């Protein structure tokens, strides 16, 4: 975070220096004003607090929950997830909430406010133990700060950064257009190899901690590997660095060595 802040400070300073150097005609001045404004927006977005980013991600989730078809409490999907997540609503210092979207896509994701969403497609594909492994993986992305880092990147890359430039840098409430741009950037973000590996390890430790079947982590990756990235975004999200088969093998080896 410190490096990111410093880099943006340099960018802002460079823009301001350009303003001094370009004085003269109004067209040049207008262009410079736009550059300075953009630099200021990015600089202020970089200073948005973790709590403000969590608030932004919660706004996105609340909007998404209204747009998506959420499984009602009476549905088999909601009942199943409620049973699996019952003792994990307050997990490792986190306050979590779980919902199912009725979508055939093979997907699951988490945001730093603690919202974890499963799509019905992946629930149809996975056993309870495999879903718990994926749940642990997603919790890992929240606990280890990966989801927060992705949210900051998405916030800065979207119109959401405009909100950081108002009210003294307080995020406040995002407009519909800002929220849409922010959400698109957030859902399209990918984690690095090291982040995915760390979340795999967190998920495996989660399984071991609660006496769940650790081998389910391996079998879940095997199932995703068979999809070849053709069924929604889950495989791409979980297997890009390295692929799902390699990750399954890694889980197998870690289990064999005692985790």
């Amino acid at each position: 975070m410190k490096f990111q802040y410093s880099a943006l400070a340099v960018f802002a300073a460079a823009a301001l220096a350009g303003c001094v150097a370009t004085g003269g005609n109004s067209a040049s001045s207008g262009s410079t004003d736009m550059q300075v404004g953009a630099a200021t927006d990015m600089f202020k977005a970089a200073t948005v607090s973790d709590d403000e980013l969590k608030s932004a991600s919660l706004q996105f989730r609340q909007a998404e929950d209204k747009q998506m078809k959420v499984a009602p409490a009476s549905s088999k999907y909601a009942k199943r997830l409620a049973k699996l997540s019952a003792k994990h609503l307050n997990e490792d210092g986190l306050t979590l909430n779980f919902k199912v979207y009725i979508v055939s896509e093979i997907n699951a994701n988490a945001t730093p406010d603690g919202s974890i969403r499963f799509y019905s497609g992946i629930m149809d594909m996975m056993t309870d133990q495999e879903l718990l492994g994926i749940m642990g993986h997603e919790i890992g992305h929240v606990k280890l700060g990966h989801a927060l880092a992705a949210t900051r990147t998405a916030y800065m890359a979207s119109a959401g950064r405009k909100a950081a430039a108002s009210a003294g840098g307080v995020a406040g409430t995002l407009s519909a257009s800002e929220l849409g741009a922010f959400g698109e950037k957030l859902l399209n973000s990918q984690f690095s190899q090291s982040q995915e590996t760390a979340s795999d390890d967190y998920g495996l430790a989660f399984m071991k901690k609660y006496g769940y079947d650790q081998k389910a982590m391996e079998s879940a990756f095997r199932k995703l590997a068979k999809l070849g990235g053709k069924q929604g975004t889950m495989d791409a999200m979980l297997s890009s660095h390295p692929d799902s088969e390699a990750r399954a093998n890694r889980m197998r080896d870690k289990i064999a060595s005692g985790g």
Side-chain angles (χ1 to χ4, degrees):
M1 183 181 295
K2 183 177 291 186
F3 173 79
Q4 184 181 54
Y5 180 95
S6 298
L8 289 171
V10 170
F11 176 45
L16 290 170
C19 178
V20 174
T22 36
N25 66 60
S26 59
S28 177
S29 177
S31 176
T32 300
D33 287 345
M34 290 178 64
Q35 290 178 336
V36 173
T40 301
D41 288 347
M42 292 183 68
F43 176 77
K44 290 185 177 180
T47 67
V48 170
S49 71
D50 291 353
D51 285 343
E52 288 176 312
L53 289 171
K54 290 176 183 178
S55 175
S57 76
L58 179 59
Q59 289 179 55
F60 160 68
R61 279 302 189 192
Q62 291 172 336
E64 187 184 41
D65 287 349
K66 291 179 181 179
Q67 294 175 355
M68 302 291 284
K69 184 177 180 180
V70 177
S74 60
S75 75
K76 66 177 184 179
Y77 293 110
K79 288 180 178 179
R80 184 183 177 197
L81 184 58
K83 182 178 180 180
L84 293 174
S85 64
K87 64 181 180 181
H88 303 301
L89 299 178
N90 293 285
E91 178 65 38
D92 203 1
L94 302 171
T95 299
L96 305 173
N97 68 90
F98 300 84
K99 290 184 181 180
V100 180
Y101 292 154
I102 305 299
V103 182
S104 60
E105 187 176 333
I106 310 301
N107 199 6
N109 54 57
T111 43
D113 58 276
S115 298
I116 297 179
R117 300 293 181 262
F118 285 84
Y119 287 16
S120 57
I122 199 167
M123 294 191 73
D124 289 335
M125 180 184 184
M126 301 290 178
T127 67
D128 284 358
Q129 291 295 309
E130 289 166 346
L131 286 174
L132 284 166
I134 292 170
M135 182 184 297
H137 176 97
E138 294 301 331
I139 293 173
H141 279 314
V142 179
K143 181 63 180 181
L144 300 175
H146 307 157
L148 185 64
T151 299
R152 184 175 292 280
T153 299
Y155 193 78
M156 291 175 63
S158 73
R161 68 176 181 267
K162 291 292 184 181
S166 64
V170 178
T173 301
L174 299 179
S175 69
S177 60
E178 290 170 342
L179 193 59
F182 165 66
E184 181 181 5
K185 294 290 186 182
L186 183 57
L187 289 182
N188 288 334
S189 63
Q190 286 191 338
F191 297 118
S192 68
Q193 177 175 352
S194 62
Q195 289 173 329
E196 290 290 8
T197 298
S199 285
D200 289 351
D201 290 348
Y202 185 98
L204 191 61
F206 170 85
M207 298 294 278
K208 185 175 182 179
K209 175 182 177 180
Y210 289 101
Y212 298 145
D213 182 6
Q214 295 178 70
K215 292 183 179 179
M217 288 284 290
E218 176 189 348
S219 60
F221 283 126
R222 300 281 183 212
K223 287 182 178 180
L224 292 173
K226 290 180 180 180
L227 295 177
K230 298 178 181 179
Q231 301 287 329
T233 61
M234 184 67 180
D235 189 55
M237 179 175 66
L238 291 181
S239 68
S240 56
H241 306 291
D243 64 28
S244 291
E245 195 66 36
R247 295 173 90 164
N249 292 339
R250 184 173 178 276
M251 291 292 97
R252 177 200 61 201
D253 295 342
K254 284 186 70 68
I255 294 167
S257 65

